[in-house]
Amino acid sequence: TKKISVDNQTPREILSKFYSDNHLSDDGGNSSSSVKIKINKYFHFYFPNFDARRKAVLLHDIHHLLTDYKTTITGESEISAWEIASGCKSCWVAFVIDTSGTMIGIPIHFGGVIRAYARGRRTKNLYHNIIPVEQVLDMKIGELKRLMLLDTHPINTKPTFIAFISFALFAIFGLFSSILSLMFITFIIIYFIFS
């Protein structure tokens, strides 16, 4: 089946198709010097694509392959919650981006987000730097799933009471973080309009 064939491939072998399927450049934009942030079809801005972000995004893309979360808005909110719960304290870029992604998902896809968070509490991710990135790229998807415990914790993992409490505490932090982020973005918009 398709799933078995994917499990027998490596991230290096299938990332190019992943990028093509999701209308991204050949390397997912990692070689670009800046990142385009699109607010809507009329307004966007750029910020530098620094090394810490490049590494985080590559691992994030591999996480998509391992978890089966899509690259839609709801899928990104799910994988954000999963990455937060499975741990990204050692990767501050991922933590910042994932916090925003999770908060966006709460009002539009709460069920999926809380299930992804519950799944994350029972699994691991690649941000812990246990395996060097170059080695990860050449490991089989199935092997990585087993190492991350994703083979025994499916995408529809049911949240426990403790997971709800943990998520609620994180959401409080995320709310304050989102308010600060909105203030920062507003400042940037005003700066570009009047400078």
Side-chain angles (χ1 to χ4, degrees):
T1 63
K2 185 177 180 182
K3 184 175 182 181
I4 293 174
S5 66
V6 169
D7 282 356
N8 284 327
Q9 294 182 67
T10 68
R12 196 184 299 275
E13 291 171 333
I14 58 178
L15 272 173
S16 59
K17 184 178 186 306
F18 171 80
Y19 293 140
S20 174
D21 289 347
N22 291 283
H23 311 291
L24 300 169
S25 58
D26 291 343
D27 65 351
N30 267 3
S31 60
S32 301
S33 60
S34 60
V35 179
K36 181 179 179 180
I37 301 298
K38 186 175 180 181
I39 304 300
N40 58 42
K41 64 180 181 178
Y42 303 109
F43 182 79
H44 61 267
F45 63 92
Y46 294 85
F47 70 89
N49 189 20
F50 45 93
D51 287 341
R53 183 193 176 276
R54 286 189 178 97
K55 181 179 178 182
V57 169
L58 175 59
L59 294 177
H60 174 83
D61 291 340
I62 296 173
H63 284 162
H64 273 290
L65 303 177
L66 301 179
T67 61
D68 295 323
Y69 295 124
K70 308 300 182 188
T71 57
T72 58
I73 293 176
T74 55
E76 290 295 349
S77 68
E78 288 173 323
I79 201 169
S80 292
W82 176 80
E83 287 182 344
I84 288 287
S86 55
C88 53
K89 293 176 183 175
S90 60
C91 187
W92 67 268
V93 175
F95 184 79
V96 170
I97 295 171
D98 286 340
T99 298
S100 298
T102 303
M103 296 310 293
I104 289 170
I106 289 175
I108 64 172
H109 190 54
F110 180 77
V113 169
I114 189 65
R115 284 192 296 273
Y117 185 86
R119 187 189 191 193
R121 285 174 52 83
R122 301 174 187 179
T123 55
K124 303 175 183 178
N125 67 47
L126 298 170
Y127 291 137
H128 300 289
N129 300 316
I130 297 171
I131 311 169
V133 176
E134 282 301 312
Q135 185 178 339
V136 167
L137 286 168
D138 292 316
M139 294 176 70
K140 302 292 186 186
I141 294 294
E143 182 182 2
L144 288 168
K145 285 181 179 179
R146 286 189 293 276
L147 289 171
M148 302 299 115
L149 307 177
L150 288 161
D151 59 325
T152 54
H153 294 90
I155 203 165
N156 60 348
T157 297
K158 292 182 180 178
T160 62
F161 176 73
I162 298 299
F164 272 110
I165 297 299
S166 174
F167 185 77
L169 293 173
F170 171 76
I172 292 170
F173 162 80
L175 178 62
F176 285 106
S177 174
S178 298
I179 292 170
L180 290 175
S181 296
L182 285 172
M183 291 171 62
F184 177 70
I185 291 172
T186 302
F187 173 78
I188 290 176
I189 293 172
I190 293 171
Y191 174 80
F192 278 108
I193 291 174
F194 293 102
S195 63

